[in-house]
Amino acid sequence: MRLIATLIAALVALAAPAAAQDFPNRPIRVLHGFAAGGNADIVARIMAEEMRKTLGQSLIVEPRPGAGGNIASQATARSDADGYTIVLLTTAHAISPALVKSLNFDPVTDFQFLSMVTDFPFFIVVNEASRFRTIQDLVAEAKAKPGTVTAGTAGVGTGHHMGLELMASALDVKFIHVPYRGDSGAITGVLGNSVDFIIAPGAAVLSSIEGGKLRALAVTGPQRWPATPSVPTLSESVSPGLQMMAWIGFAAPKDTPRPVVDRLNTAIRQAVDTPDVRARLASLGGYPSTSTPEEMTRRVTEQITLWKDVAAKAGMQAQ
């Protein structure tokens, strides 16, 4: 029996490189855990369209919305490790371990990370008629009147919400969090003066900023956003070193053969490097940026630690 088992293992080991060399020879599924038409879905389709040119096979985008992206992550973790099912992950993947007590997968060891695709800064935004003319005005009132300044986000446990808690901790202030169902609800809230400010990605608010309905007080990235050069970063205005960046990247199931991983990594990098994709990602408020699989693994691991710490300081309990 041991001899048979050894022979089977050897045959499997020999077959894996051959299969990897032939990769891909059929369409690839691209899962993501969010609604069709949303930011993640748009990025997935932009990347799928361009990666097809390198890989020579169609990439079929399949939204699996629900549970903050965890439904798609779980489906990927349980898929065959052959490269024909990959998942587009967002910051929510690193936040989930801080808020979900019993995940049905390990957010690091059950995945073979492939590459980052883009980073997204958030914007701190108010109604154009707001009493807050600068980010310093907002922070000053929050310090002078603790627990009175209201902040809208796209929902509890989102990157927006966790970014808000990180900002509050860094500034040593307390905001009243008002969760909405998505960015559109938060924008409606701030336009109707139901909340003092919102935190949202550029894709959701840049058009309203340019149209004069909303005013950006600060951007959470490492540098000023090119389309809004007069809007300061949090780091330069109220808290040196403070940055809050959302991200999007790709992963496959663990044990995906390294040649397949390298092939997918190359396709992702080549796609992001094309002028058209870079322009489209920038139009969504993103900074296109790829990585090695190892760099993405380190970043996700560091992010999980960060968001667990933020949740603990905010008194948020995993459910």
Side-chain angles (χ1 to χ4, degrees), residues 269-291:
R269 286 173 174 264
Q270 290 182 351
V272 173
D273 282 345
T274 63
D276 178 61
V277 169
R278 297 188 76 83
R280 293 170 74 182
L281 293 175
S283 72
L284 295 172
Y287 290 104
S289 177
T290 56
S291 69

Side-chain angles (χ1 to χ4, degrees), residues 159-285:
H160 316 52
H161 177 203
M162 299 302 284
L164 175 71
E165 297 295 350
L166 176 61
M167 183 173 74
S169 177
L171 296 171
D172 193 26
V173 298
K174 179 66 177 178
F175 299 116
I176 297 177
H177 178 223
V178 181
Y180 289 89
R181 285 192 169 186
D183 289 313
S184 60
I187 292 170
T188 299
V190 76
L191 286 173
N193 296 312
S194 296
V195 290
D196 291 315
F197 74 96
I198 63 171
I199 177 169
V205 296
L206 281 172
S207 62
S208 294
I209 293 169
E210 293 167 357
K213 294 180 179 179
L214 297 175
R215 180 157 27 87
L217 300 185
V219 62
T220 67
Q223 59 198 39
R224 297 189 180 200
W225 185 248
T228 56
S230 63
V231 178
T233 65
L234 287 176
S235 181
E236 69 180 290
S237 57
V238 291
S239 182
L242 177 59
Q243 296 179 25
M244 303 179 307
M245 297 288 281
W247 53 265
I248 286 177
F250 283 109
K254 70 176 181 180
D255 298 328
T256 300
R258 186 67 196 208
V260 172
V261 171
D262 291 340
R263 183 91 168 100
L264 289 167
N265 177 270
T266 297
I268 293 166
R269 286 173 174 264
Q270 290 182 351
V272 173
D273 282 345
T274 63
D276 178 61
V277 169
R278 297 188 76 83
R280 293 170 74 182
L281 293 175
S283 72
L284 295 172

Side-chain angles (χ1 to χ4, degrees), residues 38-88:
N39 209 40
D41 188 60
I42 293 171
V43 173
R45 294 180 190 280
I46 290 172
M47 291 298 295
E49 178 186 341
E50 192 64 34
M51 289 170 64
R52 175 187 57 79
K53 300 174 184 178
T54 299
L55 295 172
Q57 291 289 341
S58 297
L59 283 80
I60 303 168
V61 177
E62 297 184 14
R64 299 281 186 92
N70 290 334
I71 291 175
S73 293
Q74 179 178 305
T76 303
R78 295 179 178 178
S79 295
D80 292 336
D82 55 11
Y84 290 98
T85 298
I86 62 176
V87 62
L88 181 138

